[in-house]
Amino acid sequence: MKKHYLGVLLIIICINFFLPRLMPGDPFLYLSVEDGNVSAVFSQEQIDHYKDYYGLAKPLPLQFWQYITGLLQGNLGYSIYYNTDVAEMILTRIPWTFFIVMISLALSSLVGTALGALSAWLRDKPLDKFLYGAMVVFSEIPSFLLGVLFLFVFAAQLQWFPLSGGSAVFASFNSMGERLGDLMHHAVLPVLTLALTRVGSFYLLSRNSMLTVLAKDYIRTAKAKGLKQRSIIFRHALRNALPPVVARVFMSMGAMFGGAVLIETVFAYPGVGRLMREAVLNRDYVLIQGIFLVITLTVLLMNWIAELVYRKLDPRVG
């Protein structure tokens, strides 16, 4: 299994290096601003200088070798556009993304699992049909569309939440509680958007897993013994239906990071997702590689943890 992950990592590193260089455009021919217009143009002498400085004038095999040796030394490179160390930029932005991703993941998994278990217990009843239809609809709504809707209704119209940002600008706080309250206030809409787009997957998995468990002989035996419904649901059914749900929690981390790229753009949230968009707009190869590599390592780590947890919860899995 370790060899499997190592092979995937090597393939990802190769894609991570070559994919940005296959993108149209050049980081030194123009610098894009958000509306796509040109904000700066370099002379040919400046282009040659910067390409030589960043090693982009060298043959691709030599660039790739330097990239690999840099990674082995823990060096993610220097941003072309921001002229800053890539590792420092990612370390500055990634706590913001982790903040909304972890809260969204906790909410979507808990709510989805609980509703899925309830729906399975009430199979084919009106509440089950309503929940099933609602979750399927939420699962099909694009995250950016849901985010724009929330932004228009709750931020622009009702003015319950800020329109953008991760914290109040130039604000002074008297306590850590006020600071945390401000962070949560800005994070409500991004978190709610991410959670609602993922709650359906946890609901469907929990419901299917519970239906499988409820059909087992030991559940029928528990019902025949006259055990309370609460005991049957939580002690016998839900406990045995949880392993695939727990594994999905860790495996959903990658999808959450992918969704964060769009959500952070919609809400102008200062996380890694928005930084990735800025790097793509500016053809900042080095920054794109660094962000993509960090996200990939996070996803592989979560998948590995998911396998360990699943095997621990279900010894039948080899």
Side-chain angles (χ1 to χ4, degrees):
M1 191 58 65
K2 293 181 179 179
K3 293 181 179 179
H4 169 72
Y5 280 109
L6 182 59
V8 172
L9 180 59
L10 291 175
I11 294 174
I12 291 297
I13 288 176
C14 293
I15 296 175
N16 191 29
F17 173 81
F18 288 104
L19 189 60
R21 287 162 173 78
L22 295 176
M23 294 171 55
D26 189 293
F28 304 113
L29 292 180
Y30 66 90
L31 294 178
S32 301
V33 290
E34 294 216 357
D35 59 2
N37 295 322
V38 175
S39 62
V41 178
F42 292 104
S43 65
Q44 187 60 48
E45 291 78 13
Q46 288 174 316
I47 293 174
D48 295 337
H49 169 74
Y50 283 116
K51 282 191 173 182
D52 182 66
Y53 178 79
Y54 287 100
L56 297 178
K58 299 177 181 178
L60 275 180
L62 185 56
Q63 290 184 45
F64 182 69
W65 174 250
Q66 290 181 339
Y67 172 63
I68 295 297
T69 54
L71 288 182
L72 294 176
Q73 297 172 4
N75 180 18
L76 295 181
Y78 218 68
S79 170
I80 298 173
Y81 181 77
Y82 293 98
N83 198 28
T84 307
D85 184 72
V86 168
E88 292 182 4
M89 295 184 67
I90 295 176
L91 288 176
T92 302
R93 296 288 193 102
I94 205 167
W96 294 94
T97 300
F98 261 108
F99 182 62
I100 62 172
V101 165
M102 297 308 294
I103 297 177
S104 302
L105 188 58
L107 285 175
S108 59
S109 60
L110 291 175
V111 173
T113 301
L115 293 179
L118 177 63
S119 189
W121 184 258
L122 302 175
R123 183 180 185 180
D124 294 331
K125 293 185 178 180
L127 182 58
D128 171 44
K129 295 179 180 179
F130 170 76
L131 287 175
Y132 187 87
M135 292 302 166
V136 169
V137 170
F138 271 117
S139 299
E140 297 300 322
I141 299 178
S143 58
F144 73 91
L145 183 60
L146 192 61
V148 170
L149 177 63
F150 285 165
L151 193 64
F152 177 75
V153 175
F154 297 111
Q157 295 295 319
L158 299 177
Q159 298 183 0
W160 289 354
F161 302 100
L163 282 168
S164 62
S167 62
V169 181
F170 304 120
S172 58
F173 304 100
N174 297 322
S175 64
M176 183 60 68
E178 290 185 5
R179 170 65 172 166
L180 183 59
D182 178 69
L183 293 175
M184 292 299 297
H185 191 217
H186 283 77
V188 167
L189 292 183
V191 165
L192 186 60
T193 304
L194 269 177
L196 285 178
T197 55
R198 296 300 303 173
V199 69
S201 64
F202 286 105
Y203 165 83
L204 294 173
L205 180 62
S206 174
R207 183 180 183 274
N208 292 336
S209 183
M210 276 289 289
L211 289 175
T212 301
V213 172
L214 289 174
K216 299 293 184 181
D217 292 336
Y218 61 85
I219 298 296
R220 287 193 286 266
T221 302
K223 291 180 180 179
K225 289 181 178 180
L227 297 180
K228 295 181 179 180
Q229 287 189 0
R230 180 184 300 178
S231 177
I232 296 175
I233 294 175
F234 292 100
R235 175 176 293 183
H236 298 282
L238 186 58
R239 182 178 180 181
N240 291 286
L242 276 181
V245 178
V246 174
R248 175 65 65 85
V249 170
F250 292 98
M251 297 179 69
S252 295
M253 185 71 72
M256 284 289 195
F257 268 102
V261 174
L262 297 176
I263 298 304
E264 289 178 0
T265 300
V266 171
F267 294 100
Y269 198 78
V272 174
R274 190 180 178 200
L275 184 63
M276 170 66 89
R277 176 181 178 273
E278 295 169 357
V280 171
L281 282 176
N282 296 301
R283 309 301 192 271
D284 194 335
Y285 301 155
V286 185
L287 184 55
I288 294 173
Q289 291 172 177
I291 297 174
F292 189 69
L293 182 62
V294 170
I295 293 177
T296 300
L297 290 176
T298 302
V299 173
L300 289 178
L301 178 62
M302 291 300 105
N303 287 347
W304 179 64
I305 294 176
E307 288 187 8
L308 295 180
V309 171
Y310 192 80
R311 291 177 181 177
K312 188 70 174 179
L313 293 175
D314 191 352
R316 294 172 299 178
V317 179

